[in-house]
Amino acid sequence: MSISPDQVIRPEILALSGYHVPHAVGMVKLDAMENPYPLPLELREEIARLAADAPLNRYPDAGAVALKATLREALSVPAGMDIMLGNGSDEIIQIIALACAKPGAVLMSVEPAFVMFRMIATFARIDYRGVPLNTDFSLDLDAVLESMARHQPAVIFIAYPNNPTGNLFDTGAISRIIKAAPGLVVVDEAYHAFAGASFMDKLTQYPNLLVMRTLSKLGLAGLRLGILAGRPEWVAQLEKLRLPYNVGIATQLIAEKVLQHSEVLLQQAAAIKRERTAMGERLAALEGTEVFSSDANFILFRVTHQHEAGQVFQQLKKRGILIKNLDGSHPLLRNCLRVTVGTPDENNQFLMALQASLKT
Ligand SMILES: *Cc1c(COP(=O)(O)O)cnc(C)c1O
């Protein structure tokens, strides 16, 4: 007798389509908000020496004490707040969802937002509610407040700036949400380096606020390090769900080393912001595009004049450029595409290929 997965696996997992990571070898890769710049050679050599000397036969420091001390400085975590580390911030979202998933509990976000909020809610068996944004991608505060009153969410996730739209929501609106929330509010600041705005310094003001950061978009996506900052009483509970050695020794050593040279990452972020401006202007100047302003390291744009995002995406792919097609993922994102800001040369290749695609 053979046993099939549908006899054993939860139906909502059977129904999921997994997070799709496209094949990108040999492509100009502008789909995943990666920093396009490598670290300087001397720093890479220091990292090589650290790796050579690392005691790989031992478990890593489960408390990551040295790295946390460095992060506390680098991220300006307010005194009195604690830090929890994740294998990427995705893992932190999962820990929070698991911790809040009482029977009938609700995890809320806005839509369109980071797709992992919804997916992880499914993994963790917590009910998901998404409140649509306005058509200009601003927060519909009344709708959020009303949905909060109705569903009493245990936790609300707000990406600030938002992905995939790239904008910062109104600070006052987010503060209203935090004050009215019956549970936790997690402000996900994955794109902080490109935004110049943060809720980190508001942790002391709001007892139900948690702030999330990641090193991924800053230039260390391959390391997998996410950071949560918040009050010790929340962090102590969440720590119970963190698997003890979730952040490996290589990640701990390398992240600490690179953060000691944080000026390198900040210079790269500044270069990306300059390119974002240049690219946004060139993109807007093309016939047949509507460009949304961005506070992140990517730009959302819509193709107009009878063009279809799916076709433009395929044309770009044929020309060796990989971006993200968002058409079909949410009604507000009809004919929208998202492009990560790359090096000047990559952005130029993208713009040339897009221009050619829009002509056909
Ligand atoms: C990319 C992204 C993350 C995931 O970051 P990792 O640390 O790489 O897991 C989290 N939140 C948002 C909004 C993102 O866009």
Side-chain angles (χ1 to χ4, degrees), residues 57 62 92 97 106 114 143 151 158 166 180-181 187 199 212 257 266 291 316 351:
N57 55 319
I92 295 175
V106 167
F114 186 43
H151 299 295
I158 297 174
V187 176
F199 275 74
M212 220 165 49
K257 172 57 69 188
L266 295 179
V291 179
L316 287 171
L351 286 158

Side-chain angles (χ1 to χ4, degrees), residues 227-241:
I227 303 109
L228 182 78
R231 303 221 173 186
E233 57 268 35
W234 291 113
V235 174
Q237 297 305 322
L238 297 172
E239 277 282 353
K240 297 176 188 172
L241 279 155

Side-chain angles (χ1 to χ4, degrees), residues 51-132:
D53 293 341
L56 296 179
N57 55 319
R58 302 290 176 195
Y59 280 107
D61 175 5
V65 175
L67 174 57
K68 278 191 194 172
T70 306
L71 281 166
R72 189 172 269 290
E73 276 293 297
L75 274 53
S76 306
V77 176
M81 298 298 144
D82 269 359
I83 294 176
M84 182 178 79
L85 301 183
N87 189 327
S89 47
D90 288 347
E91 190 186 41
I92 295 175
I93 301 168
Q94 180 166 276
I95 288 172
I96 295 169
L98 284 170
C100 294
K102 288 188 204 172
V106 167
L107 180 155
M108 184 173 282
S109 189
V110 294
E111 289 195 344
F114 186 43
V115 293
M116 292 311 292
F117 298 150
R118 172 182 224 138
M119 284 190 80
I120 288 172
T122 304
F123 304 167
R125 283 195 175 201
I126 183 166
D127 288 342
Y128 171 83
R129 302 280 165 178
V131 183

Side-chain angles (χ1 to χ4, degrees), residues 30 36-37 275 341-348:
L30 300 175
Y37 301 106
E275 265 305 298
V341 179
T343 62
D345 178 51
E346 288 172 331
N347 301 338
N348 199 42

Side-chain angles (χ1 to χ4, degrees), residues 176-341:
R176 288 274 304 277
I177 291 169
I178 298 169
K179 281 187 224 161
L184 281 170
V185 177
V186 182
V187 176
D188 176 353
E189 299 188 340
Y191 300 96
H192 171 258
F194 314 99
S198 174
F199 275 74
M200 187 66 87
D201 62 357
K202 300 199 167 57
L203 281 172
T204 45
Q205 195 177 333
Y206 300 120
N208 59 333
L209 173 64
L210 297 172
V211 174
M212 220 165 49
R213 296 275 182 89
T214 174
L215 299 189
S216 296
K217 314 294 155 64
L218 194 54
L220 299 171
L223 273 192
R224 309 302 302 132
L225 188 70
I227 303 109
L228 182 78
R231 303 221 173 186
E233 57 268 35
W234 291 113
V235 174
Q237 297 305 322
L238 297 172
E239 277 282 353
K240 297 176 188 172
L241 279 155
R242 184 180 65 81
L243 300 176
Y245 304 112
N246 64 329
V247 180
I249 190 166
T251 298
Q252 291 190 32
L253 290 173
I254 297 170
E256 198 188 338
K257 172 57 69 188
V258 177
L259 286 168
Q260 286 161 0
H261 299 271
S262 54
E263 73 286 349
V264 170
L265 299 179
L266 295 179
Q267 280 162 14
Q268 293 179 345
I272 291 167
K273 284 199 283 184
R274 283 195 299 275
E275 265 305 298
R276 174 180 73 194
T277 307
M279 195 177 177
E281 284 166 4
R282 288 179 66 188
L283 200 47
L286 294 180
E287 190 81 22
T289 60
E290 179 188 4
V291 179
F292 300 95
S293 82
S294 170
D295 297 292
N297 63 342
F298 58 86
I299 297 177
L300 182 76
F301 65 101
R302 176 173 282 131
V303 289
T304 56
H305 297 44
Q306 260 84 59
H307 293 298
E308 301 224 335
Q311 277 173 9
V312 171
F313 173 79
Q314 289 302 338
Q315 294 263 351
L316 287 171
K317 208 166 147 187
K318 269 194 220 139
R319 294 178 161 96
I321 316 282
L322 187 62
I323 65 170
K324 177 87 174 172
N325 178 17
L326 293 160
D327 184 62
S329 65
H330 191 275
L332 289 174
L333 295 173
R334 222 171 71 77
N335 279 327
C336 283
L337 296 145
R338 185 192 66 197
V339 60
T340 305
V341 179

